[in-house]
């Protein structure tokens, strides 16, 4: 299947935003996606993941049959679950190491490091059972649930798309009470990323990926209206976020805007966040398709594309690098020199994430050279 470079670039951009956003006093976190609209990189990551599932599913099913597609995504669910468990161990071990060398950090909860070394079997078991989802990795728990149910839900979506989306919307509307039924380590109810809410965005992505050749031409007939509506939604969301950032002086504006949108709840995926990511998706996919295609072919676009293609390896790398970057940031002074230092740290961790992904993608090449060198000795 031919890769869409702009999708890889956007997946890489989402991972960079996730990494930088989890460095609390970093500089570049002030210019990430979440600063300009009401959604953030999590929505982008989940939507693109669903889109790729839809694209790959129809290709595999057409070539090898439905059972092959079902088996493929069950295996993928296992791989993501394994990445969740191994990532949780690495996260806690790295956090422990940083504390041992007196490097404080707040990107990840300090008790994970204690639990891993005080009760390693219990820590691994609670993560493996998904009774606990360590922060920075909790979106992977959501992804596991989406993928493990895909062998049932995706065929339903492909066979009866309107009925499937009606069920998905109904589940989304009941997301909070349903999530409260899930036993969990957190003091609050259910999983942090409410799977009953976020499943709607994931399956919208699956539907767009599977039926993109039918959906896009149909939507293009109303392209001008959709573009105007999408720009309007995003301008409204920009007004909301700017009012938040201004704070007290814009309190009256924030209150007036809130009368329109009600409340915003990331964890159950409220309606405004959902509308905003869909509006942005339309603009990127249709009116701005050519500029994004051009960006994907620039040096930075290709680097982001490699991060996106790194998949789970890139995700775990971005988690560990966000902890490291946070620890480095906390050592910087609170003056202009410290600002420049934190900016340099942000750039360094982004570059390190790209290097990590690039090495992973080229692993067969450089591992082959190493094996060949040892074989000749």
């Amino acid at each position: 299947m031919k890769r869409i470079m702009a999708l890889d670039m956007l997946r890489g951009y989402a991972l960079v935003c996730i990494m930088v956003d989890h460095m609390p006093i970093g500089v570049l976190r002030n210019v990430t996606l979440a600063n300009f609209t009401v959604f953030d990189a999590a929505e982008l990551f989940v939507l693109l993941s669903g889109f790729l599932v839809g694209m790959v599913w129809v290709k595999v099913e057409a070539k090898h049959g439905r059972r092959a597609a079902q088996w493929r995504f069950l295996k993928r669910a296992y791989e993501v679950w394994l990445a969740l468990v191994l990532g949780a161990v690495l996260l806690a071990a790295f956090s422990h190491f940083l504390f041992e060398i007196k490097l404080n950090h707040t990107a990840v909860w300090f008790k994970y490091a204690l639990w891993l070394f005080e009760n390693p079997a219990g820590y691994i078991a609670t993560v493996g059972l998904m009774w606990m989802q360590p922060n920075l990795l909790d979106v992977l728990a959501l992804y596991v649930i989406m993928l493990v149910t895909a062998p049932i839900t995706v065929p339903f979506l492909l066979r009866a798309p309107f009925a499937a989306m009606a069920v998905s919307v109904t589940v989304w509307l009941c997301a909070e009470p349903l999530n409260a039924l899930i036993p969990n380590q957190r003091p609050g109810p259910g999983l942090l990323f409410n799977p009953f809410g976020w499943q709607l965005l994931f399956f919208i992505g699956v539907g767009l990926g599977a039926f993109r050749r039918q959906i896009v031409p149909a939507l293009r007939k109303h392209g001008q209206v959709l573009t105007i509506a999408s720009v309007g939604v995003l301008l409204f969301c920009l007004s909301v976020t700017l009012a938040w950032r201004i704070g007290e002086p814009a309190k009256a504006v924030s209150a007036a805007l809130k009368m329109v949108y009600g409340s915003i709840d990331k964890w159950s995926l409220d309606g405004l966040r959902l509308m905003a990511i869909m509006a942005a998706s339309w603009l990127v996919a249709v009116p701005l398709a050519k500029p994004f295609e051009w960006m994907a072919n620039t040096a930075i676009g290709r680097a982001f594309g490699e991060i996106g293609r790194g998949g789970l390896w890139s995700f775990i790398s971005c988690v560990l690098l966000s902890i490291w970057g946070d620890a480095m940031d906390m050592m910087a002074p609170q003056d202009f020199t410290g600002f420049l230092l934190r900016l340099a740290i942000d750039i360094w961790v982004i570059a390190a994430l790209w290097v990590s992904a690039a090495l992973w993608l080229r692993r067969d090449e450089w591992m082959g050279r190493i094996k060949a060198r040892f074989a000749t000795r």
Side-chain angles (χ1 to χ4, degrees), residues 93-151:
F94 188 49
S95 178
H96 178 81
F97 167 74
L98 291 177
F99 282 128
E100 285 294 306
I101 61 173
K102 311 302 181 186
L103 288 179
N104 193 21
H105 51 280
T106 58
V108 65
W109 195 29
F110 72 96
K111 282 196 174 180
Y112 298 139
L114 298 177
W115 287 353
L116 178 64
F117 286 89
E118 290 176 358
N119 184 8
Y123 177 82
I124 294 170
T126 53
V127 174
L129 292 171
M130 296 202 302
W131 186 69
M132 176 178 71
Q133 309 89 42
N135 70 297
L136 307 186
L137 291 168
D138 37 19
V139 72
L140 287 186
L142 169 70
Y143 198 25
V144 170
I145 295 170
M146 296 300 98
L147 288 175
V148 83
T149 59

Side-chain angles (χ1 to χ4, degrees), residues 177-216:
L178 288 173
N179 192 40
L181 300 175
I182 301 178
N184 198 62
Q185 167 262 341
R186 294 177 56 250
L191 276 66
L192 187 60
F193 277 93
N194 184 339
F196 300 102
W198 282 77
Q199 55 79 30
L200 177 58
L201 182 61
F202 179 81
F203 288 116
I204 288 174
V206 173
L208 291 173
F211 298 111
R212 66 191 186 283
R213 289 189 175 88
Q214 297 95 320
I215 292 174
V216 173

Side-chain angles (χ1 to χ4, degrees), residues 14 23 31 44 57 99 151 189 223 246 278 282 286 303 306 323 325 373:
M23 295 165 55
V31 294
L44 181 57
W57 186 290
F99 282 128
I246 293 170
M278 297 314 301
W282 167 259
V286 182
E306 291 199 317
I323 301 171
R373 180 170 295 180

